[in-house]
Amino acid sequence: MYNFKYHPDPLKTGAFHNDKTMRCQCCGKDTEIYYTGPFYSVDEVDYLCPECISSGAAAEKFDGAFQDSESVDEVSDPAKLDELVHRTPGYCGWQQEYWLAHCDDYCAFMGYYDWTALEHEGLAAEIEETYREDVCGIEFEWAKEHIQNNDCYLFKCLHCGKHFIYIDFD
């Protein structure tokens, strides 16, 4: 079907929907799984199929991007940035989405979380260890007390398996 290295389960995270059949604005085919998330383009694009995203056809046709290339950590291989920006479904944040990297590659977006969910998943201690105040701009103890209503976005390193969060308060 589709495989997104940096967004492995877009149905679970809500980037894709499967509640009705929509027409993909790129290929013109009807699709039962469609994307309505962030897509930065001059054209108004509301619905895209997974195939047009994964192939890069949507980004090429509409000269668009699924992630702001300036709102990402740096990696050494420009092909990885191209895959993230042009062939990976984005996620919706309160303000500006930011994509984390680790081990010189972009991390996989795992979903929206609050502190209770991170504790329930057994990730709280790891997140405390990997928390990056330089990216989130918020002191960790204050953030931990205020992370609720899925205010943080969980990422997982594809190479070492460590988890990281990006926080985006409104």
Side-chain angles (χ1 to χ4, degrees):
M1 180 145 80
Y2 56 86
N3 181 22
F4 298 103
K5 177 179 174 181
Y6 300 123
H7 198 148
D9 198 348
L11 270 172
K12 178 184 170 193
T13 65
F16 286 150
H17 301 277
N18 64 350
D19 57 342
K20 56 188 170 186
T21 300
M22 300 303 296
R23 178 148 298 169
C24 175
Q25 290 175 258
C26 182
C27 67
K29 296 178 185 174
D30 287 342
T31 179
E32 293 178 7
I33 299 174
Y34 59 96
Y35 178 75
T36 62
F39 185 66
Y40 307 99
S41 170
V42 172
D43 298 300
E44 186 71 33
V45 180
D46 297 315
Y47 305 107
L48 294 169
C49 70
E51 291 79 14
C52 287
I53 295 171
S54 66
S55 70
E60 184 176 338
K61 179 176 182 172
F62 298 108
D63 191 25
F66 296 95
Q67 173 66 35
D68 176 8
S69 63
E70 298 298 316
S71 297
V72 299
D73 280 344
E74 288 187 35
V75 300
S76 62
D77 184 354
K80 292 175 181 177
L81 178 63
D82 182 61
E83 180 174 353
L84 177 68
V85 171
H86 297 117
R87 295 186 305 282
T88 301
Y91 71 93
C92 293
W94 282 101
Q95 296 175 31
Q96 177 62 50
E97 297 82 9
Y98 190 88
W99 213 285
L100 300 174
H102 194 256
C103 294
D104 199 32
D105 198 357
Y106 293 104
C107 295
F109 175 67
M110 305 307 291
Y112 306 90
Y113 283 76
D114 59 31
W115 191 253
T116 303
L118 291 171
E119 288 177 322
H120 179 72
E121 296 280 330
L123 297 173
E126 182 179 357
I127 295 301
E128 187 167 359
E129 177 185 310
T130 63
Y131 184 76
R132 293 181 50 199
E133 188 174 333
D134 65 314
V135 172
C136 296
I138 302 164
E139 191 266 334
F140 180 74
E141 287 303 318
W142 187 91
K144 184 171 83 170
E145 292 177 22
H146 294 87
I147 296 173
Q148 54 188 312
N149 301 324
N150 300 324
D151 283 335
C152 75
Y153 314 111
L154 183 66
F155 291 87
K156 182 178 182 180
C157 179
L158 297 172
H159 303 281
C160 72
K162 286 186 178 181
H163 291 88
F164 302 86
I165 59 170
Y166 174 64
I167 299 174
D168 186 13
F169 289 107
D170 68 359

